[in-house]
Amino acid sequence: MERSDSIQDKLKDLRVGRRNGPHYTLEELSAATGISKSALGKYESDDCTDISPYNLMTLAKFYGVSVDYLLGLAEQKNHAEAAVEELHLSDAMLELLKSGKINNHLLCEMAVHPVFQRLMVDIEVYVDRIADMKIREMNAQLDAAREMLAEQYDPGENDLGMRTLELAHINADEYFRHTVHEDIDTIIADIRAAHADDKDTAPEDSGMEMAKRALEEGMTFKGSDQERMIFVLCKRLGINYKKLTPEEFSTLISVMKKSKLMQTGMSQRGKIKRK
């Protein structure tokens, strides 16, 4: 998953409500803050290199976060001075969080998910054996009903009623494993969906499907054979063909000319005019 450490990522996360907050369109945010839509869009883009201090403070105030958080100088949005003792964390937990061995960002996302509190309650019920006595009582009642049925009617082990009472038994360990599993599945599925568009999330398409689609688009590409080859290569590598500079295009042509497979289709004279 992508760690939103840059100011661009943090501004976009806050706007689209990735952390379970409110969602704003660029138009809505512009109306609420007085900052132009084009400027807000630029602030969230990878090409952004400068944000006006006034606009930065305006956005921080609007989202209810600190400027230090947006600038990456603090991990917390608005609890930078929280005392460790208030968090009731053990020394072992603090060491783990500082060790870099786990993804603290992911852990935080899991902890603030709406289902996480239910997960903790379910685990507490299991660990403290709170429901064990009730489960034993229910199983005992089922056993008593089976014994009474067997004594009165002698239906045999494969009787539908006898088998139903047997299968109705609850195994506490299995029951709570299933319950906890459902909680975790819900949390992880939601976080996975929230990060579907992250830059470092693997695409759903397989490499073969991507290659096939690149070749299909290359067949309809209007341009010279050389341009078509470069276009297909860019598609496979995830490079925006239209943003190639003339120098970058010439460099790619020079590299491809070194391939024996390409030499017969490459002109060795003159410069290639790009369309």
Side-chain angles (χ1 to χ4, degrees):
M1 62 174 282
E2 177 183 357
R3 297 189 181 192
S4 302
D5 292 329
S6 72
I7 186 171
Q8 294 94 331
D9 290 333
K10 287 179 178 177
L11 287 174
K12 186 170 184 179
D13 284 354
L14 289 166
R15 180 176 65 79
V16 302
R18 177 176 286 174
R19 304 296 182 263
N20 301 313
H23 178 282
Y24 301 95
T25 64
L26 287 173
E27 291 83 358
E28 291 170 339
L29 185 59
S30 176
T33 61
I35 304 173
S36 70
K37 175 185 173 182
S38 59
L40 291 171
K42 180 182 177 182
Y43 294 162
E44 295 178 11
S45 69
D46 293 336
D47 299 330
C48 179
T49 57
D50 181 47
I51 300 179
S52 113
Y54 176 79
N55 286 349
L56 187 64
M57 288 188 290
T58 299
L59 289 169
K61 183 177 180 180
F62 176 79
Y63 288 126
V65 302
S66 67
V67 173
D68 282 352
Y69 170 76
L70 292 178
L71 294 175
L73 301 177
E75 286 286 331
Q76 298 78 28
K77 293 179 181 179
N78 42 33
H79 296 285
E81 302 301 324
V84 172
E85 56 267 21
E86 295 177 5
L87 304 178
H88 303 290
L89 299 176
S90 66
D91 288 337
M93 185 62 180
L94 288 171
E95 289 299 324
L96 177 63
L97 294 173
K98 293 190 297 183
S99 69
K101 295 179 180 179
I102 64 172
N103 188 329
N104 292 350
H105 295 266
L106 179 57
L107 180 61
C108 289
E109 283 195 66
M110 293 178 63
V112 298
H113 189 281
V115 178
F116 187 80
Q117 292 184 37
R118 187 178 71 195
L119 168 65
M120 296 300 293
V121 171
D122 289 341
I123 293 176
E124 187 173 355
V125 168
Y126 177 70
V127 170
D128 292 342
R129 305 174 186 269
I130 296 173
D132 285 21
M133 183 176 295
K134 288 294 183 182
I135 291 176
R136 285 196 295 270
E137 289 177 359
M138 288 187 291
N139 288 338
Q141 291 173 3
L142 291 171
D143 289 339
R146 289 180 75 247
E147 289 179 9
M148 182 179 66
L149 185 63
E151 290 176 0
Q152 292 183 3
Y153 303 103
D154 192 22
E157 293 183 358
N158 295 324
D159 175 75
L160 178 61
M162 292 286 286
R163 185 60 175 158
T164 300
L165 290 172
E166 181 181 356
L167 293 177
H169 257 256
I170 299 175
N171 181 292
D173 290 340
E174 292 181 0
Y175 176 77
F176 282 105
R177 276 198 295 268
H178 175 73
T179 301
V180 169
H181 205 301
E182 278 191 335
D183 294 341
I184 294 177
D185 285 349
T186 300
I187 294 171
I188 295 176
D190 288 347
I191 294 176
R192 175 185 170 93
H195 288 278
D197 297 327
D198 285 359
K199 289 177 289 188
D200 60 351
T201 296
E204 294 184 4
D205 292 339
S206 67
M208 185 176 296
E209 290 172 340
M210 293 175 65
K212 180 181 178 181
R213 188 164 59 251
L215 289 172
E216 289 174 347
E217 293 183 26
M219 293 298 292
T220 60
F221 178 82
K222 295 182 179 180
S224 67
D225 291 341
Q226 293 91 336
E227 289 172 326
R228 184 178 295 108
M229 293 176 185
I230 297 298
F231 172 80
V232 172
L233 177 63
C234 287
K235 289 291 293 184
R236 291 289 290 116
L237 297 177
I239 299 172
N240 190 330
Y241 173 82
K242 294 181 179 180
K243 288 189 176 182
L244 288 178
T245 65
E247 292 77 15
E248 291 170 338
F249 184 83
S250 297
T251 299
L252 286 175
I253 288 292
S254 300
V255 172
M256 293 186 73
K257 283 180 179 179
K258 296 181 180 296
S259 170
K260 294 180 180 180
L261 299 176
M262 301 294 181
Q263 286 176 359
T264 56
M266 288 278 191
S267 172
Q268 301 296 320
R269 295 180 297 171
K271 293 184 178 179
I272 298 169
K273 183 178 180 180
R274 296 183 63 198
K275 297 183 181 181

